[in-house]
Amino acid sequence: MEESLRVRAMEMIVPGIVAGGASAARLFGLPLPKRLINEHLHLVTFDPNRKVARKGMSVRRHDVEEAGYWLELPMQSPVAVFVDLSAVLARDELVALGDAIVGGWHGPPLCSLEFLQAKISQRKYLRRRDRVEAALSLVREGVDSPPETDLRLWVMSRGLPEPVVHPQVYCRLVDRIVEPDLGYPHAKLALEYDGEHHLLSKKQWASDIARDEALRYEGWEVLRATSRMNRFVLERKIRHHLEQRAGGAVPVR
């Protein structure tokens, strides 16, 4: 709340200035590593002659205006935020940011993946192009949370095939489409990430049990992941199941 008020105040003092970089990401509700969750205010101006120097904030000048209003706040565009933060985020952190921009876990998507890709590809000059494009190639729509991004990227880092985000499975037991977090439809293997709310909420826990039962009724195996589990064991389970169901060996790291 305080950050939004500071942005509004600066807009009154410096017309045309907008929240950018980490500040825009925080206001959009996008995931950032802990090192970027602080009180420093990041702003952007599109006036080449504008100079702003104030304690606790930094202002960057951009040649091309990519901004608008979001919840009545002057904001740098999500595309520009993605590009700007590529300077300070590692690849996987940038993928999580992109997943959140085109995903719906924080609210409606800020833009589509197609739009994000198109806008970035149209840029004639793009610093750190290799990093941006490498991260963008791994961004997926429909991701529900940063831990799901982390789980998907971890699976791929182990040399395993990329799982599908929210594969749709019609389950006769509940007479509806069930969408596990990640899955391998060809092998009928689902991967579910359980955060703390899955354990603390009785309603969520009951819903998880019903979903898993419905998937298993259709012949699916469900593997659950948490932040504290032994991922070496999880990797072995995934490999074993893929080998059994897919009828072929999965690469061993």
Side-chain angles (χ1 to χ4, degrees):
M1 178 65 72
E2 182 180 348
E3 191 159 30
S4 65
L5 292 176
R6 292 171 68 195
V7 171
R8 291 181 193 277
M10 285 304 300
E11 183 190 24
M12 295 176 66
I13 299 170
V14 186
I17 207 163
V18 303
S23 288
R26 291 193 292 262
L27 291 169
F28 277 133
L30 302 174
L32 290 175
K34 290 182 179 180
R35 66 181 185 277
L36 294 182
I37 301 176
N38 52 53
E39 296 181 355
H40 192 84
L41 188 63
H42 297 265
L43 300 168
V44 171
T45 179
F46 305 103
D47 183 347
N49 300 313
R50 176 71 67 180
K51 292 183 179 181
V52 181
R54 291 175 182 266
K55 186 178 180 180
M57 66 179 65
S58 57
V59 180
R60 296 187 62 183
R61 288 190 292 272
H62 280 246
D63 295 332
V64 180
E65 183 169 351
E66 292 181 290
Y69 280 85
W70 183 79
L71 298 180
E72 299 184 351
L73 285 172
M75 302 277 279
Q76 190 179 28
S77 75
V79 176
V81 170
F82 183 84
V83 172
D84 278 7
L85 287 178
S86 67
V88 295
L89 296 181
R91 188 204 68 174
D92 287 4
E93 294 169 340
L94 195 56
V95 175
L97 183 75
D99 279 359
I101 287 173
V102 304
W105 65 270
H106 59 335
L110 297 175
C111 69
S112 68
L113 177 56
E114 182 180 8
F115 181 85
L116 183 64
Q117 292 170 332
K119 282 294 185 179
I120 290 177
S121 68
Q122 290 169 7
R123 291 188 174 223
K124 295 181 179 179
Y125 175 71
L126 180 63
R127 296 177 61 187
R128 299 168 296 275
R129 182 177 293 275
D130 289 347
R131 181 188 298 184
V132 172
E133 292 182 346
L136 189 59
S137 70
L138 294 170
V139 172
R140 301 290 180 265
E141 292 181 311
V143 179
D144 283 340
S145 69
E148 286 185 23
T149 298
D150 175 71
L151 180 59
R152 186 180 87 248
L153 296 179
W154 170 80
V155 167
M156 296 170 66
S157 75
R158 303 310 301 162
L160 292 162
E162 180 180 358
V164 176
V165 174
H166 294 303
Q168 296 191 342
V169 185
Y170 174 72
C171 294
R172 293 166 292 174
L173 202 60
V174 292
D175 190 29
R176 64 179 176 84
I177 298 292
V178 171
E179 298 182 12
D181 293 337
L182 300 167
Y184 297 96
H186 69 284
K188 291 190 173 183
L189 175 62
L191 305 178
E192 290 285 354
Y193 183 85
D194 288 348
E196 288 188 2
H197 70 285
H198 289 263
L199 303 176
L200 299 177
S201 169
K202 292 182 179 180
K203 182 178 180 181
Q204 183 65 57
W205 185 248
S207 175
D208 291 345
I209 292 174
R211 180 200 57 218
D212 291 356
E213 287 179 345
L215 285 168
R216 290 185 175 113
Y217 188 80
E218 299 301 324
W220 281 63
E221 177 67 22
V222 180
L223 299 180
R224 311 187 72 83
T226 67
S227 61
R228 298 184 179 183
M229 76 175 301
N230 186 326
R231 287 202 171 182
F232 175 74
V233 174
L234 178 60
E235 179 186 350
R236 292 185 64 181
K237 288 181 178 179
I238 296 173
R239 289 187 185 281
H240 174 74
H241 190 87
L242 291 180
E243 289 171 0
Q244 293 295 315
R245 293 291 182 94
V250 177
V252 177
R253 290 287 297 262

